[in-house]
Amino acid sequence: MHIPDGFLNNNLEGVLLIEALGMIVYCLSKILKTITVTIGIIADNVSGANIDNSQSFFIFSENISKYFQRLTLIALWIFAFQMFNIPVKSTTSAHLLGGVFAAILTGPFASFIIMSFVIIIQSLFFSDGGILALGANILNMAFIGSFLSYYVYKAFSNENQHFGIFIACFFSVMAASFVCLIELKLSGSIVFSTAFKNIMGLHFGISCLEALITVTLLKVFRNVNGESNE
Amino acid sequence: MNKKKLVLVIPIFTVFLASLFASKLPDALETLAINYKFINKVKETSSLFSGYSFPFVENHYTSTFLAGTIGLVLLCILFKITTKIIKNLAKLIYEKSK
């Protein structure tokens, strides 16, 4: 799924890169806003006790560290499992995307940051995905993988959590590959109608694989990290 | 083993397994590029650990494992820097509001 440099035209890559950087800043500001609002609430609650403002911030600063440690762990899991390519046909392999895994554990904004950071490291240090195509890869894997999958999961997980995960994985993989096809079409690399059946058919199988791995990873991660399986 | 340690050991162990067993077949996008003959459009970019291989290490498995482990370390560093920035910004906003 990682698009290398050269497949997309430069204008499209540029626009998507700016959009991706904007989204990273927006999501970080959302996390910052949540943190500062919570600090305010905590400070108000402890103002009656004999704790001054600097002490209450210190207490919360520890919680910020713990929160980001959890995001780091999720990112490490995604990076490691993305290295594990599994053969899906005699000529093709696939790996976990991980957006649903991160979105269920942290919500869409933090998940977007996790996925983006993984993609940035892969692109800059491992040539896994192009540097100019970073914006396209962030849109396909981080944005769709985090936001679309999170809201699909929320809509379908009320009755059965596993069903919600399966549908979210299905939509995240299929939508990411569909958007990737549109980007390739806009860049003149493919004829959309002929490539559509080919790539979507292939990704249908990959989405089932994504769902299976995501369910397993969620169970294992929550278990070893001492979290409830709700 | 302590569960807290296990949550860190699992990604390292996965990188180790990936270095041994990960498929070398092209992914879906590469397969599409080969089938639709636009694979030659790819612009090879060189980076320190291109293709998840550690420079100067001949053995393929060791090289992939080392590169993957460094990837994990780089991610930790990136998140550490982000945590520091967010903490400082949160402190600044908090102090301003008081």
Side-chain angles (χ1 to χ4, degrees):
Chain A
M1 190 64 84
H2 294 75
I3 303 172
D5 283 338
F7 281 6
L8 304 181
N9 90 34
N10 289 346
N11 295 339
L12 183 66
E13 284 177 334
V15 170
L16 293 177
L17 192 57
I18 292 167
E19 170 264 346
L21 291 175
M23 268 307 287
I24 291 173
V25 172
Y26 176 71
C27 287
L28 280 174
S29 72
K30 269 278 195 192
I31 293 171
L32 180 65
K33 196 177 170 189
T34 312
I35 287 169
T36 47
V37 167
T38 320
I39 293 173
I41 295 167
I42 299 250
D44 289 343
N45 287 342
V46 297
S47 57
N50 278 336
I51 297 173
D52 63 28
N53 285 340
S54 62
Q55 279 175 308
S56 66
F57 186 84
F58 177 76
I59 295 164
F60 210 77
S61 161
E62 292 297 300
N63 285 331
I64 297 174
S65 297
K66 274 187 188 159
Y67 175 72
F68 273 94
Q69 270 170 22
R70 188 166 175 268
L71 299 192
T72 311
L73 284 174
I74 296 165
L76 296 183
W77 279 52
I78 291 173
F79 180 88
F81 281 91
Q82 281 200 358
M83 272 185 75
F84 211 116
N85 278 39
I86 302 164
V88 283
K89 271 186 171 179
S90 56
T91 54
T92 310
S93 70
H95 60 72
L96 174 86
L97 285 184
V100 181
F101 173 68
I104 291 173
L105 288 172
T106 64
F109 295 100
S111 168
F112 180 82
I113 294 298
I114 291 171
M115 291 300 293
S116 300
F117 281 10
V118 169
I119 294 166
I120 288 168
I121 293 287
Q122 287 171 333
S123 169
L124 294 183
F125 294 95
F126 299 92
S127 300
D128 194 5
I131 293 170
L132 288 172
L134 203 53
N137 286 324
I138 288 176
L139 170 71
N140 300 350
M141 290 184 277
F143 184 78
I144 292 171
S146 301
F147 284 93
L148 179 83
S149 65
Y150 179 76
Y151 293 111
V152 169
Y153 169 75
K154 279 279 161 201
F156 287 93
S157 64
N158 290 337
E159 297 295 316
N160 185 326
Q161 198 195 14
H162 289 160
F163 180 68
I165 295 171
F166 183 85
I167 296 288
C169 287
F170 176 79
F171 273 102
S172 79
V173 173
M174 296 307 264
S177 52
F178 181 71
V179 173
C180 178
L181 269 183
I182 292 173
E183 288 160 358
L184 290 170
K185 163 74 185 138
L186 289 175
S187 307
S189 293
I190 53 158
V191 178
F192 189 82
S193 52
T194 48
F196 179 82
K197 206 176 153 190
N198 195 330
I199 197 84
M200 296 310 261
L202 192 60
H203 278 90
F204 179 77
I206 295 173
S207 67
C208 296
L209 199 66
E210 173 91 6
L212 278 175
I213 299 172
T214 303
V215 169
T216 313
L217 284 189
L218 277 170
K219 255 197 160 63
V220 177
F221 184 86
R222 282 169 167 162
N223 191 16
V224 293
N225 208 30
E227 298 172 20
S228 96
N229 265 310
E230 287 301 305
Chain B
M1 185 188 284
N2 184 330
K3 276 189 173 181
K4 285 275 172 228
K5 281 181 190 160
L6 199 60
V7 80
L8 252 178
V9 168
I10 287 175
I12 298 168
F13 186 63
T14 307
V15 167
F16 172 70
L17 288 180
S19 66
L20 295 178
F21 303 115
S23 169
K24 302 283 177 290
L25 290 170
D27 69 6
L29 181 62
E30 277 178 83
T31 308
L32 183 82
I34 294 164
N35 291 347
Y36 290 88
K37 297 180 175 58
F38 62 91
I39 190 77
N40 53 346
K41 282 174 93 176
V42 67
K43 285 179 196 154
E44 291 295 342
T45 47
S46 70
S47 52
L48 207 50
F49 310 106
S50 283
Y52 295 92
S53 59
F54 195 86
F56 314 117
V57 176
E58 294 286 317
N59 184 288
H60 169 75
Y61 304 114
T62 316
S63 170
T64 309
F65 176 65
L66 284 174
T69 310
I70 283 178
L72 298 178
V73 173
L74 289 170
L75 260 176
C76 287
I77 294 169
L78 185 56
F79 270 97
K80 200 92 193 152
I81 294 167
T82 311
T83 311
K84 241 190 164 71
I85 293 169
I86 292 283
K87 257 189 192 177
N88 287 337
L89 285 173
K91 194 174 181 184
L92 214 71
I93 293 168
Y94 176 69
E95 283 171 355
K96 236 181 187 174
S97 70
K98 288 287 140 189

